[in-house]
Amino acid sequence: MKHSLHGGLAVAVIACASTLASADMYLDPAGDVFSTDVFNLDITSVEVTNDDTNLYLTINVDNLDGRDWGKYLLMFDTQAGGRTDNPWNRAIDTNGNELDAFVGSWIDGGGGSLFYNGDAGGWNENGGAGLGVDFGTSSISYSISLAQLGVGVGDVIRFDVATTGGFDGDPGIDLLSTDVTQPGWGEGTSLMGD
């Protein structure tokens, strides 16, 4: 199923699957970034599916074109309560959405990711997520344990995806939840869809 997503977080149902559940595709327009020079941070779609133990998410961007300096963020709302900040200190206003899981990833230096759970006490690092990068298809793929997310088959999760740079205070350059062009480097705070 293909979804255009603007004005709110994406919603995914963790489907029952003895193998792989059918994928949901969330579309984002190309070119909704502050500069044509950040095409490696321009989200075009996100594909989400699961099996009985993992959530699989693939971010497709306009063109990686050998650029490996981007950072890619996954932000989840899987239960009541949560946080309105993020553990990577990026300038992203959650617009009142409360997050309780976060994946921060990088594709430079061989790539990697950090997974965090959040609660009233703060963010706690909880391992990583499986990460794969395909420069040929301009995609970044993740495998995240449902147990890490605190969900199971039949649960509903809300999520957003953002691209950013490598420094504290960098804004979200593109967010899946909105097609509004976000601030550029040093120009302010990004705003999630509601």
Side-chain angles (χ1 to χ4, degrees):
M1 179 177 282
K2 293 187 179 206
H3 307 279
S4 286
L5 179 68
H6 299 105
L9 298 185
V11 175
V13 176
I14 306 300
C16 181
S18 57
T19 58
L20 199 61
S22 63
D24 283 334
M25 182 74 75
Y26 301 87
L27 304 177
D28 190 66
D32 62 336
V33 291
F34 75 94
S35 168
T36 58
D37 192 41
V38 292
F39 47 82
N40 57 316
L41 301 179
D42 188 0
I43 300 167
T44 58
S45 65
V46 173
E47 183 176 346
V48 180
T49 191
N50 69 276
D51 59 22
D52 290 335
T53 56
N54 293 303
L55 179 76
Y56 302 99
L57 189 144
T58 299
I59 303 169
N60 298 296
V61 297
D62 183 32
N63 191 347
L64 285 176
D65 194 29
R67 290 187 174 193
D68 67 352
W69 54 265
K71 309 301 182 247
Y72 303 85
L73 312 177
L74 311 177
M75 298 164 283
F76 297 95
D77 177 9
T78 63
Q79 53 196 307
R83 303 192 57 81
T84 57
D85 63 348
N86 66 78
W88 273 24
N89 300 313
R90 294 310 189 265
I92 300 172
D93 183 332
T94 66
N95 201 11
N97 295 295
E98 295 180 331
L99 308 174
D100 42 56
F102 177 96
V103 175
S105 65
W106 58 95
I107 62 173
D108 54 313
S113 69
L114 296 172
F115 182 95
Y116 301 84
N117 292 106
D119 58 29
W123 289 101
N124 302 299
E125 189 179 332
N126 186 11
L131 178 72
V133 179
D134 187 331
F135 284 93
T137 63
S138 295
S139 62
I140 304 100
S141 298
Y142 302 84
S143 172
I144 306 164
S145 161
L146 297 180
Q148 270 183 309
L149 288 169
V151 299
V153 171
D155 287 339
V156 175
I157 62 172
R158 297 174 70 223
F159 70 95
D160 202 355
V161 175
T163 59
T164 189
F167 301 101
D168 282 357
D170 280 348
I173 299 303
D174 197 6
L175 283 85
L176 179 64
S177 63
T178 179
D179 62 355
V180 172
T181 300
Q182 301 299 315
W185 310 120
E187 295 179 356
T189 299
S190 301
L191 180 65
M192 278 186 180
D194 57 2

